[in-house]
Amino acid sequence: MILQALNGYYDRLLAQDASKTPIMGYGLAPMHFTILLGPNGEVVDDQDLRTTTNNRVRALELLVPKDFEDRTSGDKAPRALWDNAEYVLGVSDNRERAARRFANFVARQEAVLQVAHGDPGADALLAFLRSWSFEAVHKLKYAGEIDEKSNVCFKLDGVRGYIHDRPRVAAAWRASLLASSDKKMNCLVTGASESPARIHPLIKNIAKAGQPTPKLVAFDKDSTAFDSFGRKQGDNAPVSERAAFAYSTALNGLLHPASDQKIRIGGVTTVYWAEADSTEAAMSAEVSAQLLFVPATPDAAAADASETDHLRRSVMDLIGNGRPLESPELHLDPGTRFYILGLAPNAARLSVRFWEMTTLGALGEAFYQHWADLRMEFKGGSGLPPSIPALALRTAPARRNAKGETKLSFDDVSPLLAGELTRAVLTKGRYPASLLSTLIMRIRTDGHTDRQRISLIKAILVRTMRLEGRLPKHLPEKEYLVRTDPNDSNTARRLGRLFAIIERAQVTALGGDINTTIKDKFLGAAAATPGQVFVGLLKNAQHHTKRLRNGHSDAKWIKDARHARSAGYGLEHDIGTLCSTFNDGFPQQHSIEEQGLFLVGYYQERFGGKADPSIGTEPGIDTSEDISTNTDDQE
């Protein structure tokens, strides 16, 4: 289904704009020089196609004939209608090798152009090759600049365009390309009986690939297991040359650095595309998906009244209000078919981390549920949900650099975990089983808590409880864990709130500039084994509240002794009120889920309540890597 969907996407691109869509048998290549031929194959002139920009010499990118399998080395793989100067002109210090390569090049052109006999361009090229002498290269105008690696093509003097672009020559090339194999097999993609691709095209621009250009479909060249039934390489999964070109061209287009239909999460590259009855509906669906994967503020788009920005604002409004993605005016159809493919490198082949076939409507519902599960109320929040990359990044360890800045790196994100997180979002299924324990382990080891980490912990807890029918009955389903709740009877969450109030007492008494707070020393231990930690914490809290009640404080926000005494009595009351709810003492140990509830309770009490100078600022972090669709700079 993956190859079939990509093949269909290629057909849509071809119908949408054939001038910008590569066609089978052609591809871009750097071209340095062209030789003008007379009607009898004589050299009229040679032209330099290179340009100089900022003191850098660049070859001209031309669309030229390309074989299904480009050569890597050797003498027996000349290209059709163009090649480097060693093949085309015999330019080389190794005369013996140059003679072999030139002879192979001539034989290849004879085979390709045999059906184009009578075309002036084809006849001129063949006449040139049959009469060319290596010594004649010194007569060329640019003989001193043409080396064996310079690519050379041909023109017919007095005629616009290149010889390889002439209709009869191009038709001869395509016929030669498809006739390269007499073997016919039923294509797994189209069902047609055609020549199978022996080796599938390379897939480019995959993040952190083991080699620069792996393949999506590949077999070992010499493998007893695959050869046991007499099938060699691509014959094991017969895909026609046409279909192999189509799916690889479509996928490479989606993966191109300029593509806005991809998102990279650690080592997983996710691409997406739509299939609809009209091009407008498909394109609108793809723009909508871009917003879902990487939410954008509506205010940023409001300054521009373009059609795309109008679509962006409408999509965010629809999803934000839980309404289906449907708008005839904007070509939004909830029934539009949608495909999402997650790829990760795996040696010479690509690993498919996930493959989802859905609809635009179901995709919108999935993201709405995901955002609802993530929703928490914090002071100063933008109101935008964190993107999937931002959430996956929170599974990496937080490290401080020499400047004291907290940094997270996508290099530390597990591709498997990132893929499973994305799958859970797309399917409304359970978040990965290891995700909660990974987040809690990170907080215990690096001590970093931010709203993305806590929101993701909250989402895991709420979704698990909902799927298991364990959500509390005293609140509506969508409101549980959204904000701090003094009436929640959950022991772990109340202990998190108590820990936050004890920390508030410490920083109020000693000031916010102290090197180490109880959070830095005891947060992880208090969440896991509260019975062993809280007795000591409460004793220390008594010293802090006593100091405040005596009118002493090093906190800059405390105005005077009266203010200090008022804060001390208030904190002592809050601590006492919460402690009175633990009639049976503190539990000795918490499960992973209870540790998550503890951290949610702590964070909401610390950063989600009303304005309080003792709260200070939320832990800072460099978020430059959080949200990006073009993440080539992350690697």
Side-chain angles (χ1 to χ4, degrees), residues 335-547:
T336 298
R337 294 171 295 281
F338 213 88
Y339 304 101
I340 305 168
L341 175 63
L343 299 170
N346 182 20
R349 302 173 183 83
L350 293 176
S351 175
V352 177
R353 290 298 181 192
F354 55 86
W355 164 244
E356 294 297 330
M357 298 182 293
T358 182
T359 64
L360 181 62
L363 188 66
E365 292 175 5
F367 270 92
Y368 174 73
Q369 185 63 70
H370 170 63
W371 292 350
D373 290 341
L374 286 170
R375 187 169 72 92
M376 296 179 73
E377 290 185 0
F378 297 113
K379 298 190 313 300
S382 66
L384 289 175
S387 69
I388 297 178
L391 296 174
L393 188 60
R394 264 55 193 186
T395 65
R399 300 185 178 93
R400 288 188 175 273
N401 60 17
K403 298 180 181 179
E405 300 169 328
T406 302
K407 294 283 187 177
L408 300 174
S409 173
F410 278 105
D411 292 335
D412 298 320
V413 176
S414 163
L416 182 60
L417 190 59
E420 290 303 309
L421 170 61
T422 307
R423 185 200 299 275
V425 173
L426 299 177
T427 62
K428 297 194 290 186
R430 290 178 183 269
Y431 292 103
S434 61
L435 185 56
L436 180 58
S437 57
T438 297
L439 292 168
I440 291 174
M441 177 190 69
R442 294 300 186 210
I443 292 174
R444 292 196 64 169
T445 53
D446 60 33
H448 183 78
T449 56
D450 62 18
R451 66 184 58 188
Q452 285 87 355
R453 271 186 175 176
I454 300 301
S455 294
L456 186 51
I457 289 174
K458 180 259 183 183
I460 298 168
L461 296 173
V462 168
R463 182 166 294 193
T464 301
M465 291 179 180
R466 184 176 63 251
L467 293 175
E468 296 178 358
R470 296 190 290 112
L471 281 176
K473 304 298 183 183
H474 73 284
L475 280 176
E477 175 183 315
K478 294 180 181 179
E479 296 300 315
Y480 186 55
L481 298 185
V482 170
R483 62 189 65 85
T484 188
D485 181 10
N487 300 318
D488 192 349
S489 61
N490 183 274
T491 300
R493 191 180 181 193
R494 283 187 288 120
L495 280 172
R497 292 183 56 226
L498 178 59
F499 188 92
I501 297 173
I502 294 174
E503 181 188 13
R504 187 180 299 157
Q506 180 190 36
V507 297
T508 304
L510 304 181
D513 297 329
I514 55 178
N515 292 329
T516 306
T517 67
I518 63 167
K519 169 184 176 289
D520 301 320
K521 285 187 174 182
F522 301 111
L523 180 62
T529 55
Q532 301 177 27
V533 177
F534 266 93
V535 174
L537 292 178
L538 287 171
K539 288 182 179 179
N540 288 332
Q542 289 177 353
H543 295 301
H544 299 318
T545 56
K546 182 178 180 180
R547 188 169 191 269

Side-chain angles (χ1 to χ4, degrees), residues 608-624:
K610 61 183 180 180
D612 186 334
S614 70
I615 291 177
T617 59
E618 184 185 8
I621 195 165
D622 179 8
T623 58
S624 60

Side-chain angles (χ1 to χ4, degrees), residues 50 88 106 125 153 256 265 343 496 604 615 617 621:
R50 300 170 299 172
V88 175
V106 174
L125 176 56
C153 63
H256 192 275
I265 309 169
L343 299 170
Q604 287 179 327
I615 291 177
T617 59
I621 195 165

Side-chain angles (χ1 to χ4, degrees), residues 51-65:
T51 57
T52 302
T53 305
N54 297 328
N55 296 322
R56 290 190 62 184
V57 178
R58 298 180 181 273
L60 176 66
E61 290 283 330
L62 278 186
L63 196 64
V64 295

Side-chain angles (χ1 to χ4, degrees), residues 62-352:
L62 278 186
L63 196 64
V64 295
K66 282 285 190 76
D67 288 288
F68 290 127
E69 301 171 26
D70 203 3
R71 69 164 178 253
T72 54
S73 62
D75 302 334
K76 297 183 178 180
R79 299 183 175 96
L81 307 172
W82 69 279
D83 213 318
N84 63 48
E86 185 175 20
Y87 280 89
V88 175
L89 303 173
V91 176
S92 177
D93 294 333
N94 188 330
R95 283 306 184 91
E96 182 181 351
R97 185 183 67 191
R100 290 197 311 269
R101 294 188 171 182
F102 177 75
N104 289 331
F105 181 76
V106 174
R108 178 76 192 277
Q109 312 319 306
E110 294 272 9
V112 169
L113 296 175
Q114 59 182 339
V115 297
H117 179 68
D119 179 87
D123 292 346
L125 176 56
L126 290 175
F128 162 80
L129 294 174
R130 291 165 182 163
S131 62
W132 176 251
S133 171
F134 292 173
E135 287 71 21
V137 72
H138 300 294
K139 299 179 181 179
L140 297 177
K141 183 167 49 178
Y142 292 100
E145 299 182 46
I146 298 176
D147 59 31
E148 61 186 60
K149 294 183 179 179
S150 300
N151 288 333
V152 179
C153 63
F154 299 91
K155 276 186 173 183
L156 190 61
D157 186 34
V159 181
R160 293 185 61 183
Y162 299 91
I163 289 179
H164 61 256
D165 290 329
R166 296 176 64 84
R168 286 190 62 186
V169 173
W173 158 241
R174 286 193 292 269
S176 170
L177 187 68
L178 294 175
S180 58
S181 173
D182 294 331
K183 183 187 299 181
K184 301 294 182 183
M185 302 180 73
N186 289 334
C187 174
L188 295 177
V189 177
T190 65
S193 179
E194 297 183 286
S195 300
R198 187 177 68 87
I199 297 177
H200 286 232
L202 302 172
I203 305 301
K204 304 174 183 179
N205 298 307
I206 289 291
K208 301 178 179 64
Q211 61 184 54
T213 49
K215 296 181 177 71
L216 183 59
V217 180
F219 296 88
D220 290 336
K221 185 174 182 181
D222 298 309
S223 172
T224 303
F226 293 132
D227 292 352
S228 59
F229 291 96
R231 293 180 180 268
K232 302 288 186 180
Q233 294 183 278
D235 292 350
N236 290 280
V239 175
S240 70
E241 297 280 14
R242 294 176 186 271
F245 173 82
Y247 90 71
S248 60
T249 300
L251 184 53
N252 280 322
L254 291 167
L255 292 167
H256 192 275
S259 169
D260 56 6
Q261 289 173 231
K262 76 171 186 297
I263 185 170
R264 285 182 178 167
I265 309 169
V268 178
T269 304
T270 301
V271 295
Y272 49 88
W273 67 98
E275 180 182 323
D277 295 334
S278 68
T279 300
E280 293 80 5
M283 295 178 67
S284 293
E286 288 158 357
V287 172
S288 302
Q290 182 185 358
L291 279 174
L292 298 178
F293 280 107
V294 185
T297 171
D299 295 336
D304 194 330
S306 70
E307 183 177 349
T308 300
D309 287 321
H310 178 45
L311 175 61
R312 290 175 181 272
R313 293 194 301 274
S314 299
V315 168
M316 295 302 289
D317 179 66
L318 291 170
I319 293 295
N321 290 287
R323 294 157 56 195
L325 287 174
E326 184 173 12
S327 172
E329 175 194 358
L330 299 172
H331 307 288
L332 289 176
D333 180 1
T336 298
R337 294 171 295 281
F338 213 88
Y339 304 101
I340 305 168
L341 175 63
L343 299 170
N346 182 20
R349 302 173 183 83
L350 293 176
S351 175
V352 177

